[in-house]
Amino acid sequence: MRKPFFAANWKMHKLQTEAQDFMKEFVPEVADLKAVDIVICPPFTALLIMNMAVQNSNISLGAQNLFWEEKGAYTGEIAPSMLTDSGCGYVIIGHSERRSVIGENNTQINRKIKAALSAGLIPIFCVGETLQERENQMAREVVKEQMQEGLKEITFSSRGLVVAYEPVWAIGTGVNASPDDAQEMCRFIRECLSVLYDENTAQDVPVLYGGSVKPANTEQLMLKEDIDGALVGGASLNPSDFAKIVRLGING
């Protein structure tokens, strides 16, 4: 039985004091929730502050990116060991903003997933199509390729991977995929996992939906069989809203 899983992606938001203020309000709001995985992924500058804030709580810490080498002349990059040293247990890899704005490709994402796993980090591996790709009936083809290339020559232990379906056209736009559309693609992702690995693995991996998730649509999404939770952007910046999403998700 997969536990509900909710991850906050703060992107390039919150100074250290703002992160502290968030946690002072958020931690008590979810302290009684046990049968759920809650992960917060702040910017790198807030990791140490957040590591202290999650101690003795039911919240885990994640990062938004990493580099595939452990050390070297890679100005501006961050190593997997630097993340674990800062208290991270998770890391987002392959987010569409990294793909489209920074120019990451499937080969680089594959190397990052391998590096994360080698360091003991659990990747939150993002896949998803653009609006043009969906309109051209290429959504499944694109996601299948991202899955195949991103997970090429990769093995992981039970609960050692999370996959997030994030349709690019729904991220930060206020437009979310319908629950039926999200379920269809999350089910397809599970089918891809069963081909790449086996059915047990496919049923074990949490598959999240991301893209303008908010309290108003959480329950409908969580009623779907293959949606185990959400990767939340804008709504996760508000402690009350994110707490509501987590609670609604457990009841969904």
Side-chain angles (χ1 to χ4, degrees):
M1 183 69 178
R2 299 182 300 271
K3 289 168 63 177
F5 190 111
F6 292 90
N9 178 13
W10 284 359
K11 306 187 181 184
M12 201 169 70
H13 294 284
K14 293 195 184 297
L15 303 178
Q16 294 182 45
T17 54
E18 294 171 323
Q20 287 178 310
D21 290 342
F22 176 99
M23 294 300 283
K24 287 177 184 176
E25 183 175 342
F26 180 71
V27 172
E29 290 198 41
V30 299
D32 62 318
L33 304 181
K34 304 303 180 186
V36 60
D37 288 317
I38 305 171
V39 180
I40 298 181
C41 302
F44 295 136
T45 52
L47 284 176
L48 292 178
I49 288 289
M50 290 293 289
N51 185 31
M52 290 187 284
V54 301
Q55 296 300 312
N56 302 313
S57 79
N58 56 340
I59 301 164
S60 298
L61 185 63
Q64 298 176 24
N65 185 40
L66 50 58
F67 194 61
W68 54 78
E69 297 290 351
E70 266 305 316
K71 60 180 65 176
Y74 304 106
T75 301
E77 296 294 344
I78 191 162
S81 59
M82 294 174 180
L83 298 183
T84 57
D85 190 48
S86 299
C88 291
Y90 294 83
V91 58
I92 298 171
I93 298 176
H95 192 281
S96 67
E97 291 161 359
R98 298 290 309 177
R99 295 177 188 262
S100 63
V101 179
I102 309 301
E104 287 187 6
N105 57 42
N106 288 329
T107 300
Q108 293 169 322
I109 290 164
N110 175 257
R111 295 179 74 179
K112 289 187 175 190
I113 294 174
K114 288 177 179 176
L117 290 168
S118 294
L121 292 160
I122 298 176
I124 302 174
F125 172 38
C126 300
V127 298
E129 80 283 3
T130 65
L131 180 59
Q132 183 176 9
E133 289 164 343
R134 173 164 279 268
E135 290 177 341
N136 291 338
Q137 308 300 314
M138 295 174 59
R140 286 193 171 212
E141 179 181 339
V142 169
V143 169
K144 181 179 180 180
E145 181 179 5
Q146 291 172 344
M147 293 286 293
Q148 289 176 331
E149 295 300 314
L151 296 175
K152 187 176 181 180
E153 299 175 346
I154 283 176
T155 58
F156 52 90
S157 59
S158 177
R159 301 287 290 183
L161 176 75
V162 179
V163 179
Y165 169 56
E166 292 209 318
V168 179
W169 46 272
I171 298 172
T173 63
V175 178
N176 60 291
S178 72
D180 287 341
D181 287 341
Q183 160 61 21
E184 180 183 357
M185 190 58 80
C186 288
R187 178 58 194 168
F188 178 68
I189 288 169
R190 222 175 281 287
E191 291 172 4
C192 290
L193 288 168
S194 69
V195 172
L196 291 170
Y197 300 99
D198 53 55
E199 184 61 27
N200 287 336
T201 301
Q203 293 302 319
D204 193 42
V205 171
V207 179
L208 316 181
Y209 169 73
S212 296
V213 175
K214 41 192 172 288
N217 58 27
T218 299
E219 283 184 296
Q220 287 184 313
L221 289 166
M222 290 299 293
L223 288 172
K224 299 300 181 180
E225 179 181 358
D226 290 292
I227 300 177
D228 301 314
L231 179 57
V232 187
S236 74
L237 298 174
N238 181 295
S240 178
D241 284 349
F242 189 46
K244 286 178 184 176
I245 288 171
V246 175
R247 287 191 173 279
L248 289 168
I250 294 174
N251 295 330

